[in-house]
Amino acid sequence: MMKTLSTLQSAKHYIKQAIQEQSHPIAIDATLGNGYDTIFLAQEVGAQGLVFGFDIQSLAIEKTSQRLQQKGVLERATLFHAGHECWEAFIPHKYKNQINAVMFNLGYLPHGDETIITRPATTLQAMRYACQWLAPRGIITIALYVGHEGGKDEVDHVISLASKLPSNQFQVTWTQTLNRSSAPSLIVIEKIK
Ligand SMILES: C[S@@+](CC[C@H](N)C(=O)[O-])C[C@H]1O[C@@H](n2cnc3c(N)ncnc32)[C@H](O)[C@@H]1O
């Protein structure tokens, strides 16, 4: 059995650490998709926590709501049928500097319309909000994909922004598979203070 963690397992590992010591954790799923990450976040934040989520596709909102309902954690989540770049218009401002975890899973909705993808301009805007609103010791994970058209360009933009974050405020790592060029990679941003 493989001893290394997959991109998603690594992302969850870091998110768990950011959430587990909080009494009222707040997490954001920036790309709801099929709702798997939202379920993970809703279960991790617990009954005292909150999850906010964004997606531009109504199908993603429906699928995620259904899954949350099935798992009995729907009341912990607020889902917005909107782009994550509209963060400031949707997330209550009292949560500024209090967001403990943000997950981005970029690209297209698996088993959905593969032409609807995350795009550099909107992804970068949402990343900026996430960095601004993150609590101290909060974590942002960004799963990046290069296999679809536009993927490599988005990765380049995301890496460019992430690598310019001030090192006295953020620790930024990028984990990638070296011997499979199409493999996803993971950026983890931690707010130091
Ligand atoms: C790879 S999927 C997400 C997978 C998901 N986290 C899961 O657990 O199934 C990417 C999603 O990003 C969504 N998306 C694209 N542009 C977006 C935007 N500007 N804001 C929010 N979501 C967006 C797509 O509609 C798609 O559902």
Side-chain angles (χ1 to χ4, degrees):
M1 199 173 104
M2 292 282 286
K3 295 240 173 26
T4 52
L5 299 179
S6 70
T7 299
L8 202 52
Q9 285 170 332
S10 296
K12 289 179 173 177
H13 166 79
Y14 290 109
I15 296 283
K16 268 176 189 264
Q17 288 186 22
I19 288 176
Q20 66 190 4
E21 283 164 13
Q22 308 301 323
S23 54
H24 295 79
I26 304 174
I28 299 201
D29 188 346
T31 49
L32 294 169
N34 288 311
Y36 295 110
D37 297 331
T38 326
I39 292 290
F40 162 74
L41 291 172
Q43 290 174 334
E44 286 301 315
V45 298
Q48 304 301 318
L50 289 175
V51 178
F52 297 100
F54 293 95
D55 207 292
I56 55 171
Q57 296 192 63
S58 52
L59 182 61
I61 306 293
E62 284 160 26
K63 285 191 168 189
T64 304
S65 300
Q66 279 168 11
R67 270 189 224 289
L68 289 164
Q69 178 100 52
Q70 281 162 8
K71 298 282 183 186
V73 291
L74 183 61
E75 80 287 353
R76 296 177 195 174
T78 306
L79 310 183
F80 304 119
H81 183 191
H84 41 219
E85 66 278 11
C86 303
W87 175 306
E88 201 157 42
F90 287 91
I91 309 292
H93 283 227
K94 64 181 175 183
Y95 298 129
K96 236 175 193 169
N97 303 317
Q98 290 188 40
I99 308 296
N100 303 107
V102 184
M103 285 185 93
F104 287 85
N105 198 336
L106 302 180
Y108 58 83
L109 177 67
H111 315 296
D113 184 342
E114 297 189 8
T115 65
I116 304 176
I117 57 173
T118 52
R119 307 259 172 200
T122 43
T123 300
L124 263 51
Q125 183 58 53
M127 280 176 68
R128 289 187 196 99
Y129 283 129
C131 289
Q132 284 165 15
W133 286 51
L134 209 59
R137 315 308 298 182
I139 291 277
I140 302 167
T141 62
I142 310 172
L144 300 161
Y145 300 85
V146 289
H148 61 283
E149 190 156 354
K152 173 78 173 67
D153 182 46
E154 185 173 40
V155 170
D156 290 345
H157 279 86
V158 169
I159 296 295
S160 172
L161 190 156
S163 57
K164 291 189 190 101
L165 289 170
S167 59
N168 60 347
Q169 290 177 48
F170 299 95
Q171 176 162 302
V172 184
T173 61
W174 180 26
T175 308
Q176 54 181 326
T177 303
L178 290 176
N179 58 352
R180 188 162 60 92
S181 59
S182 63
S185 64
L186 181 71
I187 292 182
V188 179
I189 300 171
E190 179 177 3
K191 198 167 204 170
I192 299 168
K193 57 183 182 184

